[in-house]
Amino acid sequence: MNAGSRQIEHDAAAWLARRDGGDWSAEQTAALERWLSAATAHRVAFLRLEAAWAESDRLKALGAGLARGELPERGRWTQNRFGLRARRAEEAETHRRALADAAVAARAERRSRARAPARRLAAAALAATALLAVALSWGWQRYERVQPQAYRTAIGSLREIALADGSAATMSSDSAIEVALSRHERHIELQRGEAYFEVAKDAARPFAVQAGERRIVAVGTRFSVRRDGDEVRVVVSEGTVRLESAPQDGRGQPVTLLPAGSSALATAAGVLVRDGSIADAERALDWRRGYLVFLDTPLAVAVAEFNRYNRRPLVIGDAAAAQLRIGGSFRWSNAEVFANLLEQALPVRAERESERIVLYSR
Amino acid sequence: MDKALDAWFVREILAHEASLAQYLRRCWPQADELHDLRQEVYVRVYEAAAKALPQQPKSFLFATARHLITDRLRRGRVVSIEPAGDFESLNVLIDEVSPEQRCGARQILKRLAEALDRLPDRCRQIVWLRRVEDLPQKEVASRLGISEKAVEKQIAKGMRLLAEHYHGQPAVPANAAAAARRRGAVTEQESG
């Protein structure tokens, strides 16, 4: 398709918009038909736009209750931007309804008795219950505070953890975290490895991940933190996070803000931030789905990545092999398949020993 | 001009655009070529379906995408060793793309509303008048004091952007995240 798919899409949209404009003659119908028949690429592009535009007729529903000519501000319909919050909203709704039902039932019962002493008794009971609930929750918070939860993964396995505040963490291979949810802060310590967080929104309780000397703070967002010794890597796929460093020589360190799509590498020398698209950030997080993605990556680096996930390590046999470059996405769970592929596609010879696989250049 | 074929294409093929896009993204490192790749997949599927409708539209769509990628790799347009041999993982991937949901009217509306909100200001205003208030393009033009041609151009732009978001957005029901979490748990048991 040498015309270029974007150009074709533009042309298809132009046809559709002209037809939408009215004054559509028989000649124009025929001309459109000729354009559609000229290439299947024209037809599929047109069908695709036409289908979405036809569906957009449903948007009329949005105008309900608004004065004509009034354009509402953005975001009015899209408060629940992702499943997590939507689900919580649903739960809250169910809960609210259950409470309302209970209240109705209680009122009906009270009315049927219609006796003052009973009402007073009920009120006292209610107050007592409320007091108990407060005491319990306070105790629970304290308990949570002094009792951090530790989670670990072995080499080659991932783990998903649902945290009590509605957030979720996905731990990568060979990682360790400790979670402490207090009333004022949700504190996670990344002791080793890498973890990806989907943070439930709670403005009153910041979500902070401590990785050695660095602290990564978010309110409601998605990001991952990885620790290799003193190096800390942060990838943000939604929202904004704040990267803080421990004070050095008694002086505070600058704070770095990381928007969605960016990644940061914090080393002893400083913080390096790279901006990218959200797709780039998602790509860097493909390990969650079982893949490692490389783009023109030196073999030595790719092998080091693989070894984070496998007990039987890949070893580079000589300097020439280390410098070969590879691209593609690979299942991290199978180093053997990876070695086979390397042998097929690169000047590489693999020697398979029982404890390791050594890669030599050919 | 085959209305039944067109309807089939919209219903059975375009419905998977989000999964297809995800799949292509993963197999093809050059982001700027994805649009072109997607179109070519659609062309191949449509032309094949004109001869005989595939029994399993979704598998057919992904098989077509896979063949297209191997073809292009053979033509040597990209240096990537992955699809050359790692078919095993590509196949797995197809099974992993979430089963599409025929989503309900409410959900479709929500998706459209989101798409509308992502339009640039002028475009959003014009699409609103045309689509929500149902004014003819002519009237939109006179109300805003701009030419009909300008309105038509904005409508065309709106059509493209709405389609991108409408087709490209995965239909995620409220419990999908939970389902994904469950899937993750199962995988862990298998591997650990």
Side-chain angles (χ1 to χ4, degrees), chain A residues 187-248:
Chain A
H187 185 89
I188 315 285
E189 194 179 329
L190 177 66
Q191 294 160 331
R192 185 174 73 238
E194 179 168 9
Y196 172 78
F197 302 97
E198 291 180 33
V199 181
K201 200 155 196 141
D202 186 348
R205 280 200 300 171
F207 191 99
V209 177
Q210 188 78 42
E213 301 285 278
R214 315 278 176 177
R215 207 169 104 100
I216 298 94
V217 187
V219 173
T221 181
R222 304 177 183 210
F223 64 99
S224 89
V225 181
R226 166 171 168 180
R227 200 175 158 180
D228 295 307
D230 284 343
E231 276 185 21
V232 174
R233 249 174 261 243
V234 183
V235 178
V236 184
S237 58
E238 187 181 298
T240 302
V241 306
R242 200 167 72 218
L243 174 63
E244 301 170 350
S245 307
Q248 271 174 9

Side-chain angles (χ1 to χ4, degrees), chain A residues 165-188:
Chain A
D165 67 325
S167 300
T170 307
M171 295 173 66
S172 185
S173 166
D174 191 21
S175 303
I177 63 172
E178 220 171 73
V179 179
L181 304 177
S182 78
R183 242 185 314 174
H184 306 294
E185 190 185 61
R186 297 171 282 175
H187 185 89
I188 315 285

